[in-house]
Amino acid sequence: MDGALTVGQVADELGVTVRTLHHYDELGLLVPSGRSAAGYRLYTAEDLQRLSSIVLYRRLGFGLEQVGELLVADGAARIEQLRRQRDEVRARLAQMTGLVDAIEHALEAEMTQRPATTEDLRAIFGDGFGEEYQTEAQERWGHTPQWEQSRQRTAHFTPGRWQEIKDETEALEQAAAAAVREGVDPDSPHGREIAERHRESIEVFYDCSHEFQVGLAQMYLADPRFTAHYDERQPGLAQWLHDAIVANAAR
Amino acid sequence: MDGALTVGQVADELGVTVRTLHHYDELGLLVPSGRSAAGYRLYTAEDLQRLSSIVLYRRLGFGLEQVGELLVADGAARIEQLRRQRDEVRARLAQMTGLVDAIEHALEAEMTQRPATTEDLRAIFGDGFGEEYQTEAQERWGHTPQWEQSRQRTAHFTPGRWQEIKDETEALEQAAAAAVREGVDPDSPHGREIAERHRESIEVFYDCSHEFQVGLAQMYLADPRFTAHYDERQPGLAQWLHDAIVANAAR
DNA sequence: GCTTGACCCTCACGCGACGTGAGGCGGCAC
DNA sequence: GTGCCGCCTCACGTCGCGTGAGGGTCAAGC
């Protein structure tokens, strides 16, 4: 019996914890063959053999109760259990594969439905969406109620929403440019329609009365950067848009 | 508040159990917005919204604590967590794939190392391994200590072991048949060597003294079925083997 | 008004395989 | 003798509920 090992030695040998050995002892799954005078558990080579079987079956995912059954079962029963276990693990495997897909799905949804980040905006609007402009705009209008309202609303805009906004602005400006080229009167039904569409595109951000819109129109003529933006697309567009907005506001 | 639902209704609606709702309430994960006079939990549409998020995240495999964090996290943090969860699940997936392989491995080992069944024996020895022979053999020798010893030993023989035994028997008989064809003297070193090899092939089953082996040799001549078995392979083999065994026993 | 049955409430233990101390004894080297 | 490591026996914690026990509530039918 001098070959008998204590819990710590067995634990090191087989890669389990001491607590695990205690646990198996409690359950009667692996009761050490002997005890020292002081009550130390003493494991023989046979015990180690049994433990290594237990460890093997545990690694295969069996519960302790099933491990106990496997140890006393004959070959045919063991094979049957192993097959069952394999099938069960395969089933869980399939279900986890589905889980990964579900997570991917949620991830994609989150990516598109989450409020847009600064990077998203740069990706959509290009690098022209620079910090300098942002800073200046904040200084100019940061104290207005419209700015505050816009800030609150856009905080929840998704990348998809921003893309829609860009598309609508683009379409609007193209329609206005076409009207200028075709010599459409700003104070015609079509001219006023475009002015109204412009107001709606602004109302996405904040409540925009006709009066406020007229103020914007005046700025488009007063601030050369706005004027340039419109006239680059179509010479005379800034003036035409201003006139249409004024005409629409006067009804 | 007339739109408020009780636990049972909510449970049906979202496919969870009443106990689960109690649990979430205890944890503070989903505290119903109201209680009836009698203390019934009352869930509003908002509560349902929150619950459906909880159910979603739970289905994605998050723990309840993480679900709580996800509910208050912003988009970026949620995405980060989803990614982490996906990676973790993928890792577990890989490890389960390994598990399946390990089980297959154990299964194969068990298949080949398990004691052979009657079907295994038929597969190895052919259908000549019939019940009639078995029954007669048991009647003839079932009471002998050799039979008992053989029974005990063969009970643990694997299919592989049986195959080895068959191969060795085959090789032995071929060697003996060749010796007969070549006119080898049974009482020569080579003849006695074959006799000794025969004895060893018997000792696989039970302890076989030279005297006992001589008894076997006599039976090979006395029982026409044994004689036929050997002489079919090589005329004169039964007699030759008998003589070699007798010579070897006499040293 | 009374019963019935379905629903709700609050405890509180159970599961599975150990982890993680707490409190105390044994063994061995200095 | 003393310090440290290893061993012992309780015994509670983990995680997400399941499953009663014991008892109120509510709407409907008699």
Side-chain angles (χ1 to χ4, degrees), chain A residues 6-32:
Chain A
T6 67
V7 276
Q9 297 168 320
V10 172
D12 285 353
E13 193 90 7
L14 277 274
V16 298
T17 68
V18 170
R19 177 65 177 105
T20 298
L21 293 175
H22 288 176
H23 190 55
Y24 293 170
D25 191 2
E26 278 176 48
L27 296 188
L29 185 59
L30 177 68
V31 181

Side-chain angles (χ1 to χ4, degrees), chain B residues 60-77:
Chain B
L60 298 186
F62 288 98
L64 292 182
E65 193 169 354
Q66 297 186 69
V67 170
E69 289 166 11
L70 281 164
L71 288 174
V72 301
D74 63 356

Side-chain angles (χ1 to χ4, degrees), chain B residues 94-113:
Chain B
Q95 145 181 359
M96 286 188 60
T97 307
L99 188 55
V100 171
D101 290 349
I103 296 175
E104 299 270 14
H105 192 78
L107 203 45
E108 196 146 348
E110 190 67 42
M111 294 284 274
T112 54
Q113 284 169 21

Side-chain angles (χ1 to χ4, degrees), chain A residues 110 115, chain B residues 28-30 50 53-54 57 64-79 81:
Chain A
E110 190 68 42
Chain B
L29 185 59
L30 177 68
R50 184 175 170 91
S53 292
I54 295 174
Y57 288 129
L64 292 182
E65 193 169 354
Q66 297 186 69
V67 170
E69 289 166 11
L70 281 164
L71 288 174
V72 301
D74 63 356
R78 262 201 290 270
I79 287 171
Q81 286 288 0

Side-chain angles (χ1 to χ4, degrees), chain B residues 7 17 28 35-36 47 55 83 102 106 121 129 179 239:
Chain B
V7 278
T17 68
R35 290 273 185 149
S36 77
D47 294 337
V55 169
R83 269 200 246 273
L121 293 178
F129 188 79
Q239 182 68 52

Side-chain angles (χ1 to χ4, degrees), chain A residues 139-159:
Chain A
E139 278 173 13
R140 251 172 110 174
W141 298 300
H143 62 283
T144 65
Q146 284 80 12
W147 177 270
E148 175 58 17
Q149 195 174 26
S150 172
R151 205 183 53 72
Q152 280 186 18
R153 288 193 191 172
T154 55
H156 306 303
F157 282 8
T158 65

Side-chain angles (χ1 to χ4, degrees), chain A residues 59-60 78-79 82 85-86 89-90 92-93 96-97 99-100 102-104 106-107 110-111 114, chain B residues 59-60 75 78-79 82 85-86 89-90 92-93 96-97 99-100 102-104 106-107 110-111 114:
Chain A
R59 267 207 292 260
L60 298 186
R78 263 202 289 270
I79 287 172
L82 282 167
Q85 177 70 2
R86 182 194 55 188
V89 173
R90 283 216 182 117
R92 275 189 292 166
L93 200 73
M96 287 189 62
T97 308
L99 187 56
V100 171
I103 296 176
E104 299 272 14
L107 203 46
E110 190 68 42
M111 295 284 273
R114 124 215 89 145
Chain B
R59 268 206 292 258
L60 298 186
R78 262 201 290 270
I79 287 171
L82 282 169
Q85 178 70 5
R86 182 194 55 188
V89 173
R90 280 214 185 121
R92 273 188 292 164
L93 200 70
M96 286 188 60
T97 307
L99 188 55
V100 171
I103 296 175
E104 299 270 14
L107 203 45
E110 190 67 42
M111 294 284 274
R114 126 215 86 145

Side-chain angles (χ1 to χ4, degrees), chain B residues 136-164:
Chain B
E136 189 195 330
Q138 171 126 26
E139 277 174 15
R140 252 173 109 175
W141 299 300
H143 62 282
T144 66
Q146 284 81 11
W147 177 270
E148 174 59 19
Q149 194 174 25
S150 171
R151 205 185 53 72
Q152 280 187 17
R153 286 193 191 171
T154 55
H156 306 303
F157 281 9
T158 65
R161 187 82 180 86
W162 280 113
Q163 187 63 50
E164 281 175 30

